[in-house]
Structure formats: structure tokens, C-alpha cells
Amino acid sequence: MTTSPNAPQQAQEEGRDDALPISGMRLASAVLYVSDLGESIGFYRELLGLEVVMGTRDAVLLVSDAGSELYLRSLGKRDPCEHDGIGVQSLIWTAPDISALHHCEQVLKDRDGYLGTESDDGFTWAEGRDPSDIPVVVTYLQLDETARRRIIARLSTQ
């Protein structure tokens, strides 16, 4: 099923409640399947400052001081998923300041996972790969704004 970008406006014009956003809705957690749990825990702790709050033999929950949650689940050595298919393409984290972004760049470089840093539309982002070859992006918002005004050019097909 395809949803038109105008669907919320159309629903609002028709008087339907599904046009109204739910206040305070946010993404709470992400789940990553990884090949080496120990290596992935170390990577995300070093890269993002996440702390392990609970775990089992093959899964852990890491959290940030801001409340972001990242579940890691070990699947052992397997071929990585295709990164250009349907589904989540990468997780994007936001650094609180430019020095935190530079820290993330250095961690990615030290772990041979750094792909590059770019800027567009007031955002700077560092891209890399985690130990399971999963794309990871860390951004820093340079402007005193919290929302984008357009799609990043490299993500847009138009």
C-alpha cells in the first residue's frame, strides 16, 4: 500500500482524526542483529557513550544518558544483509556538539570503519560501518534548528 505525501492534509480536510499527529511520539529503540556481540558492545560504547543496562548470553540493551535505546542481538557469523534493499538503511545518531562528532569520526577511523564526513543544509555527518558491517551515521546540527527543511540531496531521487 502506498501512502501519498498529501494523505495527512487530505484526511484533515475530510475531518478524519487520523490526520492529526500524536503529540510526543518518538522512536524509542532500535534493534540490531550483529555477528559478534562483545565487539559490537565495545564499538557502540566507545562510539556513542552507550552503557549496558541488561543482557543475556546473546542480547544486550544499551542506553544513552538521553534515553536512546539500542538492542544488540548476536546471530553469529553470517553474511551481512544487502544495504540497498527494502528496510532500514542506517541508524542516524545526533551528537550534542561538534567535538562529540569529531570523537565519533576518530572512533570510526581507529576501527577501520570510517567512510567519510559531509555537510549539507546545516548538518554535518560522519558515516561508517560497525563491526558487523552495518551502516552507522552520526550527525551534528550546526544551526539553531531541530528540523530539516528538505531531503538530503544524496537520498533524494529527484
Side-chain angles (χ1 to χ4, degrees):
M1 178 176 173
T2 304
T3 302
S4 163
N6 298 326
Q9 178 66 30
Q10 291 168 345
Q12 190 173 18
E13 289 170 1
E14 294 171 8
R16 297 191 330 249
D17 286 340
D18 60 342
L20 304 175
I22 299 173
S23 178
M25 187 65 69
R26 69 179 182 88
L27 180 65
S29 305
V31 178
L32 288 181
Y33 292 153
V34 300
S35 58
D36 184 311
L37 187 59
E39 187 175 20
S40 296
I41 291 169
F43 175 80
Y44 284 103
R45 289 187 72 201
E46 184 179 1
L47 181 72
L48 304 172
L50 301 178
E51 292 297 324
V52 175
V53 295
M54 66 179 78
T56 65
R57 184 177 52 82
D58 58 0
V60 296
L61 170 60
L62 297 104
V63 298
S64 74
D65 58 358
S68 297
E69 299 178 346
L70 178 63
Y71 289 87
L72 300 177
R73 170 81 162 77
S74 177
L75 294 181
K77 298 291 181 197
R78 295 186 183 186
D79 290 333
C81 296
E82 291 185 34
H83 298 296
D84 60 351
I86 301 294
V88 175
Q89 299 300 305
S90 65
L91 297 177
I92 301 175
W93 301 86
T94 301
D97 54 46
I98 194 68
S99 65
L101 179 69
H102 292 314
H103 164 80
C104 293
E105 287 173 316
Q106 192 59 52
V107 170
L108 290 167
K109 289 175 183 176
D110 291 347
R111 292 176 170 259
D112 296 323
Y114 180 72
L115 297 176
T117 299
E118 297 182 41
S119 293
D120 184 30
D121 197 24
F123 283 78
T124 299
W125 65 92
E127 292 185 75
R129 299 277 184 181
D130 81 354
S132 296
D133 200 33
I134 298 168
V136 65
V137 178
V138 180
T139 66
Y140 171 65
L141 176 62
Q142 299 158 344
L143 306 173
D144 189 23
E145 299 175 13
T146 58
R148 289 193 159 280
R149 296 177 193 242
R150 62 186 172 89
I151 300 290
I152 298 171
R154 63 191 281 278
L155 296 180
S156 179
T157 58
Q158 298 182 8

